Amino acid sequence: MTAERARGHTSHQGDSVQLIVSQRYSDDARLLSEAARLQGWRVHRAQGSTLPADVLQLPSRVYAEGFLVEHFAAQAGLKLLRPADDALATLEPAFLSREVLFCTVQDFQAPWDARFIKPADQKLFPAAVYPPGAAIPGWETLDPSDPLLISMPVTLVREYRFFVLDAQVQTGSLYWDGGQVPKVPSGYEGADDPFWEAAWSFAQQVCSCTAGLGPSYVIDVGQLRGGAWAVIEFNPTWASGLYGSSPDQVLSCLTASQRPEAETGRAGSEALA
């Protein structure tokens, strides 16, 4: 079974490591916190955006939303690792089933027909299908160097999220199904989903054939109308929702997705080329 193939990567960092989560304390943060405590970690729920000095004395990993996770990482002296901004556009065409282009805001040329346009890094504006001439919210506030991904629109039937460690899929979940975000239990691992094995196998094939994505990342794959599978996007482990993924396995991935500043040279977020 696919779930069993990932069992060897459970983290056992002990009580010398702590997990830092935000004050918001989402369901995902709660599940990760529970998994961390069971593995002997300490857990610090931040009150605001500034971390206390005593918290910063311990080796840490961070998990939070938006820009806050990078703010925590900078204070904790961590480098957050993620796939390069153009990773999706550089995949083999067979893994995409559509044209995907990468450019910056300053190089963007309005398409002649509708395109799916999204920020390649932060969520600077809503990712959506924009017809020719449509106004993109907040466009005037973007920096000329902000990266974009532009692709042909496709019709998704279902979508899955998988967490990856050392190019091996560890855990995942159904993410979107027939126009709805389903409620799936933690530790989903496919349940009675007839498409689970195909989704897992496709994601693993992509990870095995694609170098340079980093020690840990998230890959979202979907089945298109017509049956083909395609990579939808890559995301950083340290800010991705779990849905029904195993918190234990995600914690292992989270550990690998961050490195102490002493090992990397400086804190912050780094897209891997």
Side-chain angles (χ1 to χ4, degrees):
M1 296 294 293
T2 50
E4 295 171 351
R5 293 200 291 265
R7 296 303 181 206
H9 290 282
T10 301
S11 175
H12 295 285
Q13 296 296 319
D15 57 8
S16 62
V17 180
Q18 71 179 341
L19 176 66
I20 298 173
V21 297
S22 72
Q23 186 175 15
R24 179 184 172 196
Y25 207 57
S26 63
D27 287 344
D28 291 333
R30 177 182 58 79
L31 289 169
L32 281 176
S33 296
E34 291 173 356
R37 290 190 180 99
L38 287 174
Q39 293 187 28
W41 292 38
R42 300 183 184 185
V43 175
H44 176 76
R45 182 180 177 185
Q47 302 299 311
S49 60
T50 301
L51 300 174
D54 61 323
V55 170
L56 298 177
Q57 299 303 310
L58 295 174
S60 303
R61 293 296 185 268
V62 296
Y63 180 84
E65 61 280 355
F67 292 100
L68 194 56
V69 66
E70 296 190 24
H71 188 60
F72 287 162
Q75 294 176 73
L78 292 170
K79 173 73 73 177
L80 301 176
L81 306 177
R82 57 186 173 85
D85 293 334
D86 65 348
L88 186 68
T90 59
L91 285 179
E92 295 182 19
F95 293 149
L96 294 171
S97 295
R98 67 200 187 282
E99 181 184 45
V100 179
L101 301 176
F102 172 83
C103 71
T104 60
V105 168
Q106 64 184 358
D107 297 326
F108 175 76
Q109 295 182 356
W112 291 103
D113 52 5
R115 288 291 186 272
F116 181 80
I117 305 174
K118 64 166 289 184
D121 184 5
Q122 301 289 344
K123 296 181 178 180
L124 302 175
F125 61 83
V129 175
Y130 291 94
I136 296 178
W139 183 264
E140 67 282 356
T141 68
L142 300 180
D143 188 272
S145 64
D146 284 336
L148 305 173
L149 286 167
I150 304 166
S151 61
M152 296 285 292
V154 293
T155 301
L156 273 176
V157 178
R158 56 189 55 85
E159 186 174 355
Y160 295 82
R161 165 159 293 180
F162 293 103
F163 287 81
V164 181
L165 175 62
D166 296 332
Q168 298 295 312
V169 173
Q170 301 298 301
T171 184
S173 173
L174 181 64
Y175 180 109
W176 188 88
D177 187 19
Q180 298 181 342
V181 178
K183 290 187 69 67
V184 291
S186 179
Y188 174 74
E189 301 298 351
D192 297 321
D193 186 343
F195 302 98
W196 175 253
E197 288 288 342
W200 182 297
S201 296
F202 175 74
Q204 183 57 66
Q205 181 186 10
V206 175
C207 297
S208 298
C209 295
T210 309
L213 294 174
S216 179
Y217 53 90
V218 166
I219 180 173
D220 293 344
V221 305
Q223 189 176 39
L224 309 183
R225 186 170 60 189
W229 288 92
V231 179
I232 305 305
E233 63 180 351
F234 294 107
N235 285 296
T237 300
W238 31 266
S240 293
L242 274 63
Y243 294 88
S245 302
S246 163
D248 287 330
Q249 301 299 332
V250 173
L251 192 63
S252 296
C253 295
L254 189 72
T255 300
S257 71
Q258 305 169 34
R259 298 281 173 80
E261 178 182 355
E263 297 178 12
T264 60
R266 61 188 179 89
S269 173
E270 178 180 11
L272 300 174

